[in-house]
Amino acid sequence: MSTIRAFALMTLKGLTRRRTFWGIALVTLIALAGIGSIPSYDVTGEGRFMIDMGLFGIEIGSLLLAIGLASNMFPRDRESRSVMPLLAVPLSRTQYVLGRFAGAALVQTAAIMVWCACLGLILAVNGYYVPEAMLPASILLVAEGWFLLAVVLFFSFWTSPPLNAPLTLLLFIVCQMTPAQFSGLLPGAERVMEALRMLLPRMDVFHIKDPVAHRIPVPTAYFLLASVYGLAYTSFMLSLAIAVFRRRDLK
């Protein structure tokens, strides 16, 4: 664990020096500020609109950040030949994957929490109610972000960064679909599509912006189960990434 922790901290320091991270973080903050500056024109429910759009903007920012952080970590290490010395010291391939993921996850989590805090500040400055469920909603966005990060990391071991982004975006869109919508993508093979959809995560599990915006109580058990659900799929994708990397020829 100490080896993974040290490598994760090294990854964290490297990622925070990249302009990609700061660019995505800044653009997301500007988008949140833009949502908060939209005039109300005395329309009721603008606070709910800000919460809804703000949480959606943070979700998109998390997706872009996952792609920006993890899509080129391994390709960059391989091109610079730095992966070979890393694996030559007492660092296994499993520790490499887990260390890279942990470092990127820390950066992503910090960014999501800052974005959600800024959204709460924007609501307060505009005189709107800041929901108590904002923190649990942020935690679910973190759980979703970790899954997306694991997906991007998995793709990075067998695709190039330009192909990684559209594949991740495609999976993100597909996971937003209901079983009926997904089955409609291939008419005539509904049974196969239904079985395939059952293997993919349901992203709507992490989206509680509507209940938060309308002040509908969400049971604590739901947050716990949804978080465990996200961690389970994240662990599954990391396991696939480790399996692929173990068989990857680095020469």
Side-chain angles (χ1 to χ4, degrees), residues 175-190:
C175 290
Q176 306 282 344
M177 294 181 175
T178 63
Q181 291 172 334
F182 188 78
S183 299
L185 295 176
L186 190 60
E190 287 80 5

Side-chain angles (χ1 to χ4, degrees), residues 94 97-98 101 143-158 164 167-168 171-172 175 199-201 203 206 229-245:
T94 299
V97 175
L98 294 180
F101 172 80
E144 181 187 32
W146 284 7
F147 167 72
L148 293 172
L149 195 63
V151 169
V152 176
L153 194 60
F154 165 69
F155 285 148
S156 70
F157 291 122
W158 55 276
N164 195 326
L167 285 175
T168 303
L171 182 64
F172 177 78
C175 290
L199 298 176
L200 299 174
M203 288 296 193
F206 308 110
Y229 179 81
L231 290 175
Y233 267 101
T234 299
S235 301
F236 173 70
M237 291 307 303
L238 283 177
S239 299
L240 292 181
I242 291 171
V244 171
F245 187 47

Side-chain angles (χ1 to χ4, degrees), residues 202-218:
R202 295 286 300 269
M203 288 296 193
D204 56 324
V205 169
F206 308 110
H207 305 161
I208 58 168
K209 54 181 180 293
D210 289 337
V212 172
H214 291 84
R215 304 186 189 181
I216 299 174
V218 181

Side-chain angles (χ1 to χ4, degrees), residues 77-110:
D77 287 345
R78 189 181 182 187
E79 290 177 3
S80 64
R81 299 293 181 181
S82 61
V83 67
M84 299 303 293
L86 287 173
L87 298 177
V89 297
L91 184 68
S92 66
R93 296 198 179 200
T94 299
Q95 291 173 328
Y96 173 89
V97 175
L98 294 180
R100 285 302 194 203
F101 172 80
L106 288 173
V107 175
Q108 187 187 49
T109 301

